[in-house]
Amino acid sequence: MDWLLLDEFSTDEPNTYRSDAPVDDSERRSRVRYDDPAYLIYTSGSTGVPKGVVVSHRGLSSFADEERVRFGVEPGDRTLHFSSPSFDASVLELLLAFGGAATMVIAPPTVYGGDELAQVMRVGRVTHAFVTPAALATVDPAGLPDLRVVVTGGDACSPALVDQWSHGRSMFNAYGPTETTVVATLTGPLSSDVPVTIGKPMRGAAAVLLDSRLQPVPIGVAGELYVSGVGLARGYHARATITAERFVADPNGAAGERMYRTGDLARWNGDGELEYLGRSDFQIKIRGFRVELGEIDDVLRRHPSVAQAVTAGVAGPSGETLLAAYVTAVAGTHIDNSELIAHARSSLAPTWFRRGSSSSIPFR
């Protein structure tokens, strides 16, 4: 793999002779259109190969407008940038600042939550923040007088978390696969006296719940969640087969329109909001990151000492979800845990490993 180091003089030196004026269409190979790719971000793959999700300008533009209006971001506000660039919540944070012409307060990469994150928000006078439930639960909301809007998502939001954070500020719960441009549904402002849901579709999005025969299910009955609308990604980069499996024809749309099969189970409640019920496959969430357990199994089986591997999500000491891999050795060999962890680290996303420890994957 070739690496381009942007800070090196040899990389930057040719640019010193170029104009700093905005690029126009005459300098591009072709005009930029709404449905052209805006960015590509990778998510876990069940076959052991991560999938590159191609997101369009159309979806990004719609999402930026919705954020600005729903969260009330204006010039003079100060938004938090806390998410890893490998997590599409970082796109939410970028658009939150740029869409409202606000100031972005960037948390150091060594800050993971707790008192350190509270200090960043307090000193930076943060008014708007997105924080996953796991990290938000480690922060004391007291002493943050500037914080007016809190958005959480990427994992289940508990009633206790709402009770902790919703008093005196607006709190929202966001849901959305990467394939639907960050957020597909939203609920809030939340209060501690009502059940926590994943809300209703965002602007330009639609959601349906279907049974195994692709028929709509009644209110209160569980079904698989399908999302359509302007935020739908173009598909997976250079992965036509799996794109066709997940981005399926929309029976209620115009010719050629598609919907994304999320694999999530939900039901409509009496208020027209979605209640999340879990997964229909072997995918789980780790600190907001979507993980296909089959991808981990595939990596572990590539080690010469491993014959079989099965990975599962288990509850950690404080109730958080951890990964546990169960492996059997090839006949006549011995599995060295440290060596296997190093092998896993070389191929798997670093965010899947617990920060500050050797690994969140115990091998048994």
Side-chain angles (χ1 to χ4, degrees), residues 41-129:
I41 189 167
Y42 280 86
T43 186
S44 183
S46 59
T47 61
V49 180
K51 308 184 294 287
V53 182
V54 183
V55 178
S56 72
H57 289 278
R58 187 183 299 275
L60 212 56
S61 174
S62 176
F63 180 51
D65 286 341
E66 179 77 339
E67 274 199 305
R68 177 177 51 80
V69 174
R70 292 290 291 271
F71 304 144
V73 186
E74 300 176 347
D77 287 334
R78 302 172 67 84
T79 68
L80 178 67
H81 182 48
F82 176 58
S83 300
S84 162
S86 62
F87 185 19
D88 66 352
S90 62
V91 177
L92 180 156
E93 294 171 339
L94 293 171
L95 296 181
L96 196 63
F98 300 157
T103 298
M104 177 183 287
V105 178
I106 302 176
T110 54
V111 172
Y112 306 125
D115 293 339
E116 291 181 323
L117 180 56
Q119 177 73 357
V120 169
M121 291 193 285
R122 183 165 46 248
V123 173
R125 306 192 316 279
V126 169
T127 61
H128 295 68

Side-chain angles (χ1 to χ4, degrees), residues 168-180:
R169 59 179 61 90
S170 296
M171 182 180 185
F172 297 84
N173 185 35
Y175 160 86
T178 302
E179 292 85 347
T180 61

